[in-house]
Amino acid sequence: MIQLFELKKYKERELQKLFDVDDSKWKQILFELLRKNIIIVKQQYIQFKYVGIVIIDKFTIFIFPKYLMFEEKINHEDEIKVLMNLFNKFSRRESLDRELIEDIDLYSEELDNKFISIVLFLIEDYLQNGIYYNEIDSIERDGSGEINWDRTIDEVIPFYIKGNLLYPEVITNCVSNDFHYIISKIHRIVIKECIDFINNTGLKYIISHEVDLDEELIDESIDIEVLRYEIEKEIRVQFNDKKRRVLYSILAYLNEKARASNEKILLYGTRNFKWIWEELCSIVFKNQFVGNQSLSKYDKFLLLPPKWSILESEEGQILNSKEAQILEHNNEISMKKNRLTPDVLRVVEFEEKKYILILDAKYYNIHTEIDKGQLKIIDNPGIHDITKQYFYDMALANYKNKNDITGVINVFLFPTTSNTQFMGKVKLDFMYKYPDIMLMKLNVQDMVHMYSQGKFYSEEDIKLLFFQKKFEVDKLMNESKRLKIIDFLQWNDRHGCYSDENCDLEGVSKLSYDDAVNFFFGIINEDFYYSKVDNIFELSHDQTIEYAKQNGFYDITMEKLQLLLEEPSPNESFYRSLI
């Protein structure tokens, strides 16, 4: 099996060498990959814009998602199994019906073929449930089944002893499995062919268990039309959902088999792994941004569409003020197109305070590299992603006020094969009124396991995942800010007790980050605060901030605080400019 990575740049000769084919055959392979929209060719490089299995001209290719590209240690076999498990679960195997069986291939575009997905489904079902069988109802004497009293009374002569009837034997019901049934034979033939297919294509090791089948009862001389007829006849009389699912799968296999043999390329995967990652995050985090019977998801969270004011007539003439009309898009389609749409919203409580989680699934392979001695961030979200995340927070203002939500946790979610970890945050300085955007890497295998097991992140899990990590990192990042503010406070009042060293000498508690901010607000707005209290320390941090907001000097004070925190080498002249 040839193993490649999504969107990695490959030189054409490098790929041809992997396939080990001559120029003529290589041109044919390239043509088919281009025809199926699997690759893009830029200058001298070829990139695969697909994740999953590609079988072409007896070559089996597995294309890993791009987040694995820069991982140092990858167990390729394990990662393939994780991805196959994910794809299989996304096929909604538990609800396959005659129509749905056609859609278990995961294309977001046209479904070119479904053969591989059907083969994998049939094998997994065989491993779980065995060969299809019919039950034969019969009776036997003194068997282990339920006693058939009607038949026993009619057919067995009892003894009458001391007023009691005693039956020397009883007739019992017996249910046995008929594995010689024609459908069982057909199922065996199909499973045998599926096993041969995965063995011949190198896909065997992605199956969870060893697959073997007793071939004694296989009769491969049955005509294909007879097989179809027998399956369709069985579907008409079978009402067990699980068995009907298998029957439809066998029928789909028979229908696809002839077409697949004529296909030059077979596929099982997706061109849109980004969508799969978004869906995975939405389900595992128990997304509340969904509608109900009475409200759309937008109305539920009070996310309003834009309002357009049109000042011209249908003929294109400018209208006067009396004629001007305000046109609002009220149909559902325009609302969906024109309203901000977060990936995941969820309301949780932490320490008697309500928070709203704004989670955005980002299919980026974010990492750092050293380039010419400088640390660089590679494949990170762009400015439009960052501003949009802030806009989500702003757009939810009405919902937060209505529901007494006072906290916001804003997060980008990235896939990784390493442990789930908090990797930092991103911010725009001029958006200081809003919380920074956290950067969280989530282990894909854990996410797939939770999804396949029907598990979700509970509120306790979320507290550990976001709140505890956030507070730990905030504490770490606030420490350097705290020290910078304290240096300013100590400069302003040389005899005061602000620095850690002076606090230790005086035997008092060191100032926290919030304490330092409190004193900063007190110094910058001295006249106001000392009209309220004798010492700024008498006010809590929240009271200090609330006073500033109510009296209109919060923004200007925060701007000065931001200047202080961003100044690399503050001196006396800079300090004086703040006061």
Side-chain angles (χ1 to χ4, degrees):
M1 180 185 290
I2 299 171
Q3 298 177 358
L4 304 170
F5 290 93
E6 176 195 19
L7 295 182
K8 182 176 179 179
K9 292 182 178 180
Y10 293 97
K11 291 183 178 180
E12 186 175 338
R13 287 299 177 189
E14 176 187 3
L15 287 177
Q16 185 177 351
K17 186 176 180 181
L18 283 175
F19 281 80
D20 192 21
V21 292
D22 59 29
D23 290 348
S24 175
K25 176 61 70 176
W26 175 242
K27 287 179 180 179
Q28 293 176 22
I29 291 173
L30 273 185
F31 175 80
E32 289 300 322
L33 292 173
L34 282 166
R35 184 176 69 86
K36 288 293 187 179
N37 200 25
I38 300 300
I39 62 172
I40 49 179
V41 180
K42 290 183 178 180
Q43 297 174 347
Q44 296 180 336
Y45 292 101
I46 294 174
Q47 292 175 286
F48 287 78
K49 54 176 182 177
Y50 189 82
V51 173
I53 300 169
V54 178
I55 298 177
I56 180 169
D57 196 36
K58 298 183 180 179
F59 292 100
T60 301
I61 311 166
F62 194 92
I63 304 159
F64 292 96
K66 65 181 182 180
Y67 66 83
L68 290 165
M69 196 185 309
F70 296 98
E71 297 287 346
E72 293 182 0
K73 295 180 180 179
I74 304 176
N75 186 321
H76 289 180
E77 186 173 327
D78 286 349
E79 294 302 330
I80 291 175
K81 287 180 179 179
V82 169
L83 291 165
M84 287 297 97
N85 182 31
L86 176 59
F87 290 163
N88 291 340
K89 293 299 179 182
F90 263 86
S91 71
R92 298 189 297 275
R93 185 176 61 189
E94 296 305 317
S95 60
L96 293 179
D97 205 336
R98 185 170 186 175
E99 294 79 14
L100 290 179
I101 192 69
E102 297 296 319
D103 294 324
I104 62 177
D105 199 287
L106 299 175
Y107 302 134
S108 58
E109 299 88 0
E110 181 183 356
L111 303 183
D112 295 313
N113 67 70
K114 296 158 283 290
F115 186 70
I116 298 176
S117 57
I118 296 170
V119 166
L120 295 178
F121 169 75
L122 283 167
I123 291 178
E124 287 293 340
D125 179 83
Y126 166 70
L127 289 170
Q128 291 180 19
N129 303 308
I131 289 294
Y132 185 98
Y133 61 86
N134 240 357
E135 294 178 341
I136 302 173
D137 294 326
S138 60
I139 59 172
E140 59 183 347
R141 291 180 180 270
D142 288 335
S144 58
E146 182 182 1
I147 297 174
N148 188 325
W149 284 110
D150 290 337
R151 296 288 295 269
T152 299
I153 292 170
D154 287 343
E155 299 179 18
V156 179
I157 298 175
F159 296 117
Y160 189 77
I161 302 175
K162 295 182 180 181
N164 295 315
L165 291 174
L166 296 177
Y167 288 89
E169 60 181 0
V170 292
I171 296 175
T172 57
N173 296 326
C174 177
V175 180
S176 59
N177 298 330
D178 181 9
F179 288 106
H180 295 268
Y181 186 54
I182 181 63
I183 304 300
S184 301
K185 293 183 177 181
I186 295 172
H187 194 196
R188 279 188 172 85
I189 294 171
V190 169
I191 293 298
K192 172 62 167 55
E193 290 181 355
C194 291
I195 293 171
D196 289 343
F197 176 80
I198 65 168
N199 286 337
N200 294 336
T201 56
L203 297 177
K204 181 178 180 180
Y205 76 95
I206 72 172
I207 304 298
S208 303
H209 306 283
E210 282 293 319
V211 185
D212 197 7
L213 187 66
D214 182 3
E215 300 184 30
E216 288 182 13
L217 297 177
I218 294 176
D219 179 5
E220 299 189 24
S221 63
I222 304 176
D223 183 75
I224 189 71
E225 292 303 323
V226 174
L227 299 182
R228 286 199 185 100
Y229 171 77
E230 292 294 342
I231 293 294
E232 289 172 349
K233 187 171 70 172
E234 180 74 5
I235 288 172
R236 289 194 291 270
V237 298
Q238 179 57 260
F239 299 101
N240 180 292
D241 288 341
K242 186 178 290 187
K243 289 188 175 183
R244 284 174 65 86
R245 187 167 60 244
V246 175
L247 292 170
Y248 278 127
S249 301
I250 295 172
L251 190 60
Y253 172 85
L254 296 174
N255 292 335
E256 284 295 317
K257 178 185 173 184
R259 192 166 72 86
S261 62
N262 296 323
E263 284 284 345
K264 294 182 179 179
I265 184 168
L266 297 176
L267 305 169
Y268 184 54
T270 178
R271 296 176 180 85
N272 193 3
F273 198 84
K274 172 180 177 290
W275 169 76
I276 290 183
W277 178 242
E278 289 171 355
E279 287 294 304
L280 197 58
C281 291
S282 177
I283 292 166
V284 171
F285 281 100
K286 215 169 185 179
N287 189 10
Q288 294 174 351
F289 186 49
V290 292
N292 52 39
Q293 292 181 345
S294 58
L295 291 173
S296 72
K297 60 184 180 181
Y298 299 98
D299 293 336
K300 178 180 174 182
F301 281 88
L302 305 180
L303 290 170
L304 302 175
K307 296 182 179 180
W308 295 81
S309 298
I310 308 300
L311 301 179
E312 65 177 35
S313 66
E314 291 182 4
E315 292 77 24
Q317 300 296 317
I318 300 298
L319 303 177
N320 60 42
S321 58
K322 291 183 179 179
E323 296 172 322
Q325 297 181 6
I326 295 180
L327 303 179
E328 299 182 16
H329 293 286
N330 288 321
N331 65 81
E332 189 64 23
I333 294 176
S334 68
M335 283 186 174
K336 287 180 179 178
K337 289 173 64 176
N338 289 291
R339 287 200 251 194
L340 289 168
T341 306
D343 286 348
V344 180
L345 297 176
R346 183 170 172 182
V347 177
V348 296
E349 289 192 17
F350 182 68
E351 295 182 349
E352 300 181 354
K353 183 177 178 181
K354 290 173 78 174
Y355 288 81
I356 186 165
L357 302 180
I358 307 174
L359 309 181
D360 201 51
K362 287 298 177 193
Y363 184 52
Y364 286 80
N365 184 26
I366 185 170
H367 62 284
T368 57
E369 289 182 2
I370 301 294
D371 182 25
K372 297 178 181 178
Q374 291 188 333
L375 186 66
K376 288 190 174 182
I377 301 175
I378 308 297
D379 199 20
N380 52 305
I383 187 66
H384 61 286
D385 297 303
I386 299 168
T387 52
K388 188 168 62 174
Q389 207 66 14
Y390 278 117
F391 284 159
Y392 292 151
D393 193 350
M394 297 165 70
L396 289 163
N398 291 335
Y399 179 81
K400 290 185 287 185
N401 292 334
K402 182 180 178 181
N403 293 276
D404 298 320
I405 295 170
T406 55
V408 174
I409 301 292
N410 209 337
V411 192
F412 284 150
L413 304 174
F414 303 97
T416 184
T417 57
S418 56
N419 293 333
T420 292
Q421 57 185 301
F422 183 88
M423 64 175 300
K425 53 187 180 180
V426 62
K427 65 177 181 177
L428 295 173
D429 287 337
F430 60 83
M431 298 295 289
Y432 55 81
K433 292 183 181 179
Y434 298 91
D436 300 338
I437 301 164
M438 299 169 63
L439 310 176
M440 180 71 71
K441 282 192 169 184
L442 300 172
N443 180 272
V444 175
Q445 190 164 350
D446 291 343
M447 295 284 284
V448 173
H449 176 74
M450 291 179 70
Y451 169 73
S452 61
Q453 297 294 319
K455 296 179 180 179
F456 311 97
Y457 274 112
S458 66
E459 286 211 7
E460 287 301 317
D461 295 328
I462 284 174
K463 289 173 187 176
L464 290 173
L465 187 63
F466 293 127
F467 292 93
Q468 184 173 324
K469 294 289 185 183
K470 179 180 183 299
F471 293 149
E472 288 174 0
V473 174
D474 281 351
K475 183 178 179 181
L476 181 65
M477 299 185 80
N478 283 342
E479 179 61 13
S480 61
K481 297 178 182 179
R482 182 185 76 90
L483 295 175
K484 214 163 194 178
I485 300 171
I486 285 174
D487 287 343
F488 167 76
L489 301 177
Q490 197 65 65
W491 167 84
N492 181 70
D493 182 3
R494 287 178 171 78
H495 301 292
C497 186
Y498 301 100
S499 69
D500 291 353
E501 183 181 5
N502 287 350
C503 289
D504 288 339
L505 289 172
E506 295 293 330
V508 297
S509 299
K510 297 176 182 178
L511 297 184
S512 68
Y513 173 77
D514 285 350
D515 294 337
V517 172
N518 257 25
F519 278 113
F520 181 84
F521 268 74
I523 291 170
I524 302 300
N525 308 285
E526 187 176 31
D527 292 343
F528 173 82
Y529 283 110
Y530 281 110
S531 70
K532 301 294 181 183
V533 292
D534 291 333
N535 192 313
I536 189 68
F537 206 72
E538 296 175 28
L539 297 176
S540 69
H541 178 72
D542 289 342
Q543 288 173 322
T544 300
I545 299 302
E546 190 60 33
Y547 269 130
K549 289 180 177 179
Q550 290 175 356
N551 291 275
F553 55 81
Y554 174 79
D555 286 351
I556 186 64
T557 308
M558 284 301 296
E559 287 175 10
K560 291 184 176 183
L561 178 59
Q562 201 66 36
L563 287 172
L564 172 61
L565 297 177
E566 292 175 359
E567 176 60 37
S569 303
N571 52 31
E572 184 168 345
S573 174
F574 173 78
Y575 286 154
R576 290 189 184 281
S577 70
L578 296 176
I579 301 176

